[in-house]
Amino acid sequence: MTSVSEPIRNLESFHRDFAKPHNVYFAGNSLGLMPLAAEAAVAKLITEWKEHAIEGWTTCGWVDQAERLSLGLAPLIGAHSDEVAITGSTTVNLHQLLATFYHPRRDKRRILIDRDAFPSDRYAAISHLRLRGCDPDTDLVVASPQHGDIFQPGELAEQLSSDIAVAILPSVIFTSGQLLPLAELTEAAERSEVLLMLDCSHSVGCVRHDFHRDRVPIAFWCSYKYLNGGPGAVGGLFCGRKRFSTPPGLAGWWGNAPDSRFDMTFHMQPAGTASSLQISTPHLLSMVSLGASLEIFQRATITAVRTVSLLLTDRFIRRIRETLPELVLITPDHPEQRGGQVTLRHPEARRISIVLRRRHRVIADFRTPDLLRFAPVGLYNSVEEIDQAIAALREIVDRREYEEISDTKELVT
């Protein structure tokens, strides 16, 4: 019988709070499962819209929905709620942050990203270099690990030289699953006067952040992965209080102070908090489903979620090493260097992921050219599911079941 530790057992009661359409679901690092309460929350908003129409902004509390969500999310990242804005989407928020805080000078204009940066982050960085008259061929600095797939201690911090204006770096690298040393990076960035912008899409909701302790200046993230906000869910950003006085680079009416937002004057009065970086009317239908998930986090606590995430990924890594040497482990096995996923390399990764899904009903994630990603989520995955996935992988490799799959590329991976 499988031995289950007490922290894992303590979170098992939350499994029933989520819809599980598949036998085994390990793709929470791409799209989290739906909290069952989200359905009722969305239905409630639809009813409010139906019954109250425009009066819903006041009678149903729509107008300050974003601020209420900030209260629920701030504890997950170690921030004050006024430093958090629930708004936009990941890339839109990065564009806003670059428009607001990227001020290139002749001797300090370069933007640094990592080699495996999520492509959209790279697109945004190149866009702003071009908009400011810089040359992406020379002013975009791409940092790569010197050996293999993992940055060694101090290696990335050394890249934060004095000619770098902004560094857009992930808290967790989405390919390898490496959790970067945030305190080390912020210290190095401060020494060289580099503004660090953290993409926390692959850590918020599975890593217990403390932005104040680590002196994180700026961050942004999506809400559809570990935060379980739903497909295309509203995003979020963090802006430390000492930057509140900077006017938004991309101004929009919802960035006004709440008491003047509906005055419709031609002179903007920024909110004076992270909310000033909001641009447009809130995505209410998206927000209420995120609210349903944040209520679960409030009960479970991010500390417990992180503890169980590490226990589950540790078991996955151990079982891979014991039974599947054909699969090369990419993710660091040290807990302090690991996010919430386990990444494996195999030349037939794409076809293996398809066989897992179609024949064994195990949902994993493929990333080109040869990576398999598994994210055992503490709120809804179990030790038994890990063992089931390992057994399925062993069977696929032994029987070479992937050879039955064509090489046709799938639209969504």
Side-chain angles (χ1 to χ4, degrees):
M1 179 177 293
T2 302
S3 175
V4 179
S5 69
E6 183 175 354
I8 293 175
R9 190 177 295 108
N10 289 341
L11 280 194
E12 285 179 347
S13 63
F14 292 94
H15 293 194
R16 65 175 70 101
D17 289 334
F18 292 86
K20 299 193 74 171
H22 305 284
N23 284 356
V24 178
Y25 189 82
F26 284 141
N29 56 333
S30 285
L31 179 65
L33 290 179
M34 187 190 83
L36 293 173
E39 186 172 12
V42 173
K44 178 176 180 289
L45 182 63
I46 293 291
T47 299
E48 291 172 349
W49 178 22
K50 176 181 177 181
E51 296 179 353
H52 299 277
I54 196 169
E55 292 184 336
W57 285 104
T58 52
T59 61
C60 301
W62 297 351
V63 72
D64 59 357
Q65 176 70 28
E67 285 70 26
R68 292 200 303 275
L69 291 181
S70 294
L71 283 169
L73 199 143
L76 304 186
I77 60 174
H80 301 300
S81 61
D82 63 350
E83 297 173 311
V84 178
I86 306 300
T87 185
S89 62
T90 313
T91 307
V92 169
N93 289 339
L94 175 55
H95 276 296
Q96 172 68 297
L97 293 170
L98 286 167
T100 304
F101 297 110
Y102 173 48
H103 302 296
R105 306 193 308 261
R106 183 177 181 181
D107 61 339
K108 196 175 185 66
R109 63 180 186 272
R110 306 174 87 188
I111 296 178
L112 180 138
I113 61 173
D114 70 291
R115 179 193 66 188
D116 293 322
F118 197 77
S120 200
D121 290 3
R122 183 185 286 236
Y123 303 158
I126 290 174
S127 295
H128 284 266
L129 287 170
R130 287 174 174 159
L131 285 169
R132 312 304 175 86
C134 301
D135 183 357
D137 290 337
T138 57
D139 293 325
L140 183 69
V141 180
V142 180
S144 300
Q146 295 179 7
H147 305 287
D149 300 281
I150 304 301
F151 286 101
Q152 300 303 312
E155 186 178 342
L156 189 52
E158 292 174 357
Q159 300 288 321
L160 299 174
S161 55
S162 59
D163 61 340
I164 302 294
V166 168
I168 305 169
L169 295 173
S171 51
V172 172
I173 297 175
F174 87 103
T175 51
S176 67
Q178 180 181 12
L179 173 62
L180 295 179
L182 301 189
E184 175 187 292
L185 291 174
T186 54
E187 183 179 349
E190 289 171 357
R191 284 199 305 268
S192 298
E193 297 183 341
V194 174
L195 179 58
L196 181 63
M197 296 184 180
L198 283 178
D199 184 343
C200 294
S201 296
H202 287 82
S203 63
V204 173
C206 79
V207 172
R208 186 183 183 278
H209 282 302
D210 191 334
F211 284 175
H212 288 165
R213 179 198 63 200
D214 294 333
R215 301 197 305 279
V216 172
I218 298 288
F220 59 100
W221 57 87
C222 68
S223 299
Y224 51 80
K225 300 181 191 297
Y226 296 103
L227 287 177
N228 313 303
V234 62
L237 60 83
F238 164 84
C239 175
R241 283 178 170 174
K242 76 176 194 176
R243 290 179 169 78
F244 281 178
S245 60
T246 304
L250 301 175
W253 81 301
W254 212 262
N256 267 295
D259 59 357
S260 65
R261 187 175 288 147
F262 285 85
D263 291 350
M264 301 300 166
T265 65
F266 291 110
H267 178 69
M268 184 182 184
Q269 300 177 43
T273 65
S275 293
S276 69
L277 299 171
Q278 298 176 112
I279 299 173
S280 301
T281 311
H283 306 165
L284 287 174
L285 286 167
S286 174
M287 285 182 169
V288 294
S289 58
L290 174 59
S293 180
L294 290 177
E295 190 277 331
I296 295 174
F297 277 99
Q298 185 176 10
R299 289 187 286 120
T301 77
I302 188 61
T303 299
V305 169
R306 175 59 171 167
T307 297
V308 173
S309 172
L310 289 175
L311 290 170
L312 293 176
T313 49
D314 183 71
R315 183 180 182 88
F316 202 104
I317 289 170
R318 188 170 69 253
R319 292 299 313 281
I320 286 292
R321 284 181 166 158
E322 291 171 352
T323 64
L324 281 152
E326 299 92 338
L327 297 173
V328 179
L329 178 67
I330 303 301
T331 305
D333 56 5
H334 196 287
E336 293 182 1
Q337 298 178 348
R338 188 166 77 238
Q341 73 186 55
V342 177
T343 302
L344 308 171
R345 172 169 285 136
H346 190 279
E348 293 290 351
R350 187 189 67 82
R351 294 201 286 179
I352 289 174
S353 71
I354 295 172
V355 176
L356 274 171
R357 181 172 70 251
R358 292 181 184 174
R359 182 170 296 179
H360 299 271
R361 293 187 60 78
V362 175
I363 309 300
D365 179 276
F366 164 72
R367 283 294 174 264
T368 186
D370 58 0
L371 299 180
L372 280 165
R373 302 189 307 168
F374 296 83
V377 173
L379 285 171
Y380 52 74
N381 285 128
S382 66
V383 168
E384 292 77 13
E385 289 173 328
I386 289 174
D387 293 342
Q388 186 176 337
I390 296 295
L393 284 168
R394 183 68 271 169
E395 185 174 338
I396 292 168
V397 172
D398 287 344
R399 298 184 177 181
R400 303 179 71 87
E401 293 178 359
Y402 50 81
E403 293 180 349
E404 301 172 20
I405 303 297
S406 72
D407 287 328
T408 302
K409 180 181 179 181
E410 295 200 334
L411 186 62
V412 177
T413 59

